[in-house]
Amino acid sequence: MHHVLSCDQFSRTSLEQLFVLTDEMRVDGKKFSTSLAGKIVATIFYEPSTRTRLSFEAAVSRLGGSIISTENAKEMSSAIKGESLLDTIRVIDGYCDAIVLRHSDSTAAVDGASVSLVPIINAGSGSGEHPTQALLDAYTIYKYKNNIDGLSIAVLGDLRFGRTVHSLVKLLSLYDDITIYGLSRDVIALPDEYVTYLSQKGVSYIPCRSLADLPQDIDVLYHTRTQTERFKNTDLKIEEFIINQSVMKNFSAHTILMHPLPRRNEISFDLDDDKRSVFFQQSHFGMYVRMSLLHNILAGS
Ligand code: CP
């Protein structure tokens, strides 16, 4: 059993072993083309997804496995008839070798794992965590910066409901001499539990309220979309920090611009050809990182 529920589970060693395997997957993926032969992976998504579901499904296919899927489980599974998540997991675990689960409830993956006979991979749990996104984010930083120790990284946007940020800051805390700047509006600031977590891990966390508060030579800008779907007050309007060409002029040639995607207007399209914009490459890396993860869980290593 090898559930992937939270970034708490990873050590620096396990993360770096995954990076090495991901390099191998990128260079010589064909070598692994039968590593999941005979295995079935279920992708069960109660919330919409482009990248996570399709990259997991591409990863399974590239490793020679098979997929069973429900891409809109909220309406197209028996959840619509009132079946509980746990009953659904108890049924599906008899059909497959692993379950990739996305759900609007922040405890869904942990709850699912408590009853599942096969590994559960958290593909995004409400406003909790999105560990496999953070794995590919950390891999992207590692590839562009050659090292993660000593980096300064700004997380921007929705730090309260943005599950990718919650998972990423946990992985960054595995490294030495990290400084994290958190730029958000007050109402969507990083929750105290993560601020405390970082403090306990010795990470310097600096809350910011303006783009001008960020150092010009910062290593990474990691922007995120405002998660309006999580707001109880649907009238709440949040003024976003827009990153465009004139903003990026203030940052160094070595500052990389990341985003888990989807973006709306928080990163201007006029930056897509800027060599510092790495968000599409980041997304492409996701498939290889997920291949590595699935190989480790289902094929052994
Ligand atoms: N980054 C991410 O989780 O994207 P999707 O919602 O498209 O899977």
Side-chain angles (χ1 to χ4, degrees), residues 45 48-53 102 130 133 163-164 260-262:
F45 279 57
S49 169
T50 296
R51 280 144 289 274
T52 311
R53 187 174 67 83
R102 171 168 290 190
H130 191 348
Q133 175 70 43
R163 57 196 176 196
T164 72
L261 303 177

